[in-house]
């Protein structure tokens, strides 16, 4: 069995495009989910395991609710960044031939662009990171 792993930037984050998101939380969330579904179709995937950390975990759950026939699993890794970080350049030095240049460049380009996903994230949240449309009230749909 061949296993393929895809690491994608969520629409509006990282080096992905920066569309204008709706300021309504439900509509903005739908835009994210539609972008994941469009990616799935473009990749020709029938079913897949969608893994997400933090906001990505929230979107993974939302996607699984909307498209239960597409998701064969749902994973949320709350400590992924804590474990992967003290020094990203050193962490990836053995995996990437130009890690000393590529990692800082990637981080710069992720943060130097106009905020888009960040703005949409803000419209989905209430207060300090609490979802306006909480997943806890929808998990029974899985």
């Amino acid at each position: 069995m061949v296993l393929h792993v895809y690491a994608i930037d969520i629409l509006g984050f990282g080096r992905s495009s920066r569309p204008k998101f709706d300021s309504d939380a439900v509509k903005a969330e739908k835009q994210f989910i539609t972008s994941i579904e469009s990616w799935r179709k473009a990749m020709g995937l029938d079913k897949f395991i969608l893994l997400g950390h933090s906001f990505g975990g929230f979107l993974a759950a939302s996607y699984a609710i909307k498209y239960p026939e597409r998701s064969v699993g749902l994973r949320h890794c709350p400590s992924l960044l804590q474990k992967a970080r003290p020094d990203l350049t050193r962490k990836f030095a053995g995996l990437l031939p130009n890690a000393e240049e590529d990692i800082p460049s990637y981080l710069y380009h992720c943060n130097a662009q106009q905020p888009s996903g960040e703005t949409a994230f803000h419209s989905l949240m209430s207060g300090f990171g609490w979802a306006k449309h909480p997943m806890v009230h929808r998990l029974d749909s899985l």
Side-chain angles (χ1 to χ4, degrees), residues 67-133:
Y67 299 102
E69 72 282 3
R70 297 287 178 212
S71 303
V72 294
L74 173 67
R75 305 290 187 267
H76 181 74
C77 301
S79 63
L80 184 62
L81 288 178
Q82 295 162 338
K83 291 179 182 176
R85 191 84 211 197
D87 181 310
L88 291 176
T89 300
R90 186 180 43 167
K91 176 119 178 124
F92 293 105
L95 301 173
L96 300 171
N98 298 318
E100 289 181 14
E101 295 173 23
D102 292 345
I103 297 299
S105 175
Y106 175 79
L107 292 172
Y108 168 78
H109 288 290
C110 287
N111 291 291
Q113 298 181 56
Q114 284 290 105
S116 170
E118 296 87 347
T119 303
F121 177 78
H122 179 73
S123 71
L124 290 169
M125 297 299 129
S126 174
F128 186 68
W130 296 101
K132 287 181 182 174
H133 188 52

Side-chain angles (χ1 to χ4, degrees), residues 1-56:
M1 178 169 104
V2 177
L3 176 66
H4 296 279
V5 177
Y6 301 94
I8 61 172
D9 284 330
I10 298 170
L11 187 64
F13 287 90
R15 296 191 67 188
S16 68
S17 61
R18 303 292 173 139
K20 181 160 176 53
F21 284 91
D22 199 292
S23 61
D24 177 77
V26 173
K27 290 178 182 175
E29 183 180 330
K30 184 178 179 183
Q31 286 176 267
F32 280 112
I33 301 313
T34 299
S35 74
I36 295 170
E37 177 61 4
S38 295
W39 173 83
R40 182 205 59 81
K41 287 178 183 176
M43 295 303 294
L45 302 173
D46 182 43
K47 292 184 179 221
F48 64 105
I49 296 172
L50 185 58
L51 173 114
H53 170 264
S54 189
F55 182 49

